[in-house]
Amino acid sequence: MLEEGLHKMAEIAQALADLAVTDRSMIWNTDLVEALELDNPIGQAAVVLHSALYRTESCCAQSREDHPKRADENWLKHTLAGRDDAHRVRLGDRPVRLHPLSNAAFQPSEARRLIRLRVAYPGLRGRAGPPIAVNLFTAIQISVGIGPA
Protein backbone atom coordinates (compact mmCIF):
# COMPACT_ATOMS: atom_id res chain seq x y z
CA MET A 1 0.00 0.00 0.00
CA LEU A 2 2.77 2.46 0.94
CA GLU A 3 4.83 1.47 -2.08
CA GLU A 4 1.78 2.11 -4.26
CA GLY A 5 1.41 5.57 -2.71
CA LEU A 6 5.08 6.25 -3.33
CA HIS A 7 4.66 5.30 -6.99
CA LYS A 8 1.66 7.65 -7.31
CA MET A 9 3.68 10.45 -5.67
CA ALA A 10 6.44 9.93 -8.23
CA GLU A 11 3.87 10.25 -11.03
CA ILE A 12 2.51 13.47 -9.51
CA ALA A 13 6.02 14.87 -9.08
CA GLN A 14 6.75 14.07 -12.73
CA ALA A 15 3.56 15.87 -13.79
CA LEU A 16 4.59 18.89 -11.67
CA ALA A 17 7.84 19.09 -13.60
CA ASP A 18 5.74 20.27 -16.55
CA LEU A 19 4.10 23.02 -14.50
CA ALA A 20 4.84 26.49 -15.83
CA VAL A 21 3.97 29.92 -14.49
CA THR A 22 2.98 32.13 -17.40
CA ASP A 23 2.27 35.29 -15.42
CA ARG A 24 5.58 37.18 -15.17
CA SER A 25 4.27 40.18 -13.22
CA MET A 26 6.07 41.12 -10.03
CA ILE A 27 2.97 42.44 -8.24
CA TRP A 28 0.17 40.21 -6.98
CA ASN A 29 1.20 37.18 -9.02
CA THR A 30 -1.50 34.66 -8.13
CA ASP A 31 -0.17 32.11 -10.64
CA LEU A 32 3.14 31.98 -8.81
CA VAL A 33 1.47 31.81 -5.39
CA GLU A 34 -0.77 28.94 -6.51
CA ALA A 35 2.20 27.05 -7.97
CA LEU A 36 4.12 27.41 -4.71
CA GLU A 37 1.04 26.41 -2.70
CA LEU A 38 0.76 23.27 -4.84
CA ASP A 39 4.43 22.35 -4.59
CA ASN A 40 4.59 22.53 -0.80
CA PRO A 41 1.97 19.87 0.13
CA ILE A 42 3.24 17.57 -2.63
CA GLY A 43 6.73 17.78 -1.14
CA GLN A 44 5.39 17.23 2.38
CA ALA A 45 3.45 14.17 1.23
CA ALA A 46 6.55 12.70 -0.43
CA VAL A 47 8.60 13.16 2.74
CA VAL A 48 5.86 11.59 4.89
CA LEU A 49 5.53 8.58 2.56
CA HIS A 50 9.28 7.98 2.47
CA SER A 51 9.46 8.26 6.26
CA ALA A 52 6.59 5.80 6.68
CA LEU A 53 8.35 3.26 4.46
CA TYR A 54 11.63 3.84 6.29
CA ARG A 55 10.23 2.98 9.74
CA THR A 56 9.26 -0.69 9.83
CA GLU A 57 7.16 -0.56 13.00
CA SER A 58 3.83 0.63 14.36
CA CYS A 59 4.20 3.23 17.07
CA CYS A 60 2.50 6.47 18.05
CA ALA A 61 1.14 8.17 14.91
CA GLN A 62 2.61 5.50 12.60
CA SER A 63 0.54 2.38 12.10
CA ARG A 64 1.50 -0.25 9.55
CA GLU A 65 -0.41 -3.44 8.79
CA ASP A 66 2.78 -5.20 7.62
CA HIS A 67 4.61 -4.27 10.87
CA PRO A 68 1.93 -4.20 13.61
CA LYS A 69 4.26 -4.19 16.64
CA ARG A 70 6.46 -1.57 18.20
CA ALA A 71 10.17 -2.34 17.62
CA ASP A 72 12.20 -0.33 20.16
CA GLU A 73 15.28 -2.50 19.67
CA ASN A 74 15.62 -1.14 16.12
CA TRP A 75 13.57 2.05 16.12
CA LEU A 76 14.16 3.88 19.39
CA LYS A 77 15.40 6.85 17.37
CA HIS A 78 14.06 9.99 15.72
CA THR A 79 13.56 9.93 11.96
CA LEU A 80 15.01 12.95 10.17
CA ALA A 81 13.60 13.62 6.72
CA GLY A 82 13.77 16.40 4.17
CA ARG A 83 14.01 17.21 0.48
CA ASP A 84 17.05 18.57 -1.30
CA ASP A 85 17.07 21.07 -4.17
CA ALA A 86 16.57 18.25 -6.69
CA HIS A 87 13.42 17.17 -4.78
CA ARG A 88 15.02 13.92 -3.62
CA VAL A 89 13.94 12.81 -0.15
CA ARG A 90 16.83 12.39 2.28
CA LEU A 91 16.31 10.21 5.37
CA GLY A 92 18.34 9.77 8.50
CA ASP A 93 17.93 9.30 12.19
CA ARG A 94 19.31 10.36 15.55
CA PRO A 95 19.09 8.64 18.92
CA VAL A 96 16.36 9.41 21.42
CA ARG A 97 17.69 11.05 24.57
CA LEU A 98 16.22 8.98 27.41
CA HIS A 99 17.77 10.97 30.25
CA PRO A 100 17.98 14.74 30.74
CA LEU A 101 21.32 16.46 30.24
CA SER A 102 21.03 17.95 33.71
CA ASN A 103 19.14 17.07 36.88
CA ALA A 104 18.81 20.72 37.88
CA ALA A 105 15.26 22.02 37.72
CA PHE A 106 14.71 25.11 35.63
CA GLN A 107 13.38 28.00 37.69
CA PRO A 108 12.67 31.09 35.59
CA SER A 109 13.07 34.35 37.45
CA GLU A 110 10.14 36.75 37.80
CA ALA A 111 11.93 39.28 35.60
CA ARG A 112 12.16 36.80 32.73
CA ARG A 113 8.45 36.00 32.90
CA LEU A 114 7.55 39.63 32.50
CA ILE A 115 7.62 41.39 29.21
CA ARG A 116 7.36 45.05 28.38
CA LEU A 117 4.49 46.17 26.23
CA ARG A 118 3.56 49.52 24.90
CA VAL A 119 -0.17 49.83 24.93
CA ALA A 120 -2.01 52.23 22.66
CA TYR A 121 -4.62 54.24 24.52
CA PRO A 122 -7.65 55.54 22.60
CA GLY A 123 -7.13 59.10 23.85
CA LEU A 124 -3.59 59.27 22.42
CA ARG A 125 -4.71 59.06 18.75
CA GLY A 126 -2.71 55.96 17.90
CA ARG A 127 0.45 56.92 19.76
CA ALA A 128 1.89 54.30 22.10
CA GLY A 129 1.26 54.76 25.78
CA PRO A 130 3.71 54.13 28.61
CA PRO A 131 5.35 50.71 28.83
CA ILE A 132 3.69 48.29 31.24
CA ALA A 133 4.82 44.93 32.54
CA VAL A 134 2.46 41.98 32.15
CA ASN A 135 2.89 38.30 32.49
CA LEU A 136 3.59 36.44 29.22
CA PHE A 137 0.28 34.54 29.18
CA THR A 138 -1.67 37.79 29.54
CA ALA A 139 0.39 39.36 26.75
CA ILE A 140 -0.46 36.45 24.46
CA GLN A 141 -4.15 36.76 25.36
CA ILE A 142 -4.07 40.48 24.59
CA SER A 143 -2.23 39.99 21.31
CA VAL A 144 -4.79 37.48 20.03
CA GLY A 145 -7.74 39.44 21.42
CA ILE A 146 -9.07 37.00 24.00
CA GLY A 147 -7.78 38.54 27.22
CA PRO A 148 -8.31 41.76 29.11
CA ALA A 149 -7.41 44.82 27.08
Side-chain angles (χ1 to χ4, degrees):
M1 180 90 166
L2 287 173
E3 291 86 1
E4 190 177 307
L6 199 57
H7 179 69
K8 293 272 188 202
M9 285 303 307
E11 288 176 8
I12 292 169
Q14 185 62 35
L16 283 178
D18 297 331
L19 180 70
V21 177
T22 57
D23 184 358
R24 300 287 182 205
S25 66
M26 298 301 286
I27 299 171
W28 204 261
N29 190 336
T30 56
D31 284 352
L32 178 60
V33 170
E34 288 173 358
L36 293 172
E37 286 177 349
L38 176 64
D39 182 57
N40 184 33
I42 298 299
Q44 295 291 335
V47 169
V48 168
L49 277 170
H50 278 85
S51 299
L53 279 169
Y54 179 67
R55 290 188 76 95
T56 54
E57 71 164 351
S58 287
C59 176
C60 306
Q62 164 125 345
S63 178
R64 290 185 56 168
E65 292 177 1
D66 55 342
H67 299 284
K69 301 274 187 213
R70 185 175 171 149
D72 282 349
E73 62 279 357
N74 297 324
W75 290 107
L76 193 57
K77 52 189 165 185
H78 297 288
T79 300
L80 306 175
R83 282 193 328 163
D84 61 14
D85 291 336
H87 301 290
R88 290 184 304 256
V89 175
R90 301 287 185 199
L91 295 169
D93 52 61
R94 69 175 176 86
V96 172
R97 214 171 271 192
L98 297 175
H99 304 287
L101 295 176
S102 169
N103 289 331
F106 175 70
Q107 296 295 327
S109 68
E110 184 66 24
R112 290 188 181 240
R113 287 188 293 137
L114 297 178
I115 62 170
R116 310 277 297 168
L117 287 181
R118 295 186 74 78
V119 179
Y121 293 104
L124 296 177
R125 296 186 194 154
R127 294 182 304 220
I132 61 168
V134 295
N135 122 347
L136 184 58
F137 182 69
T138 304
I140 292 169
Q141 286 180 321
I142 291 170
S143 68
V144 297
I146 61 172

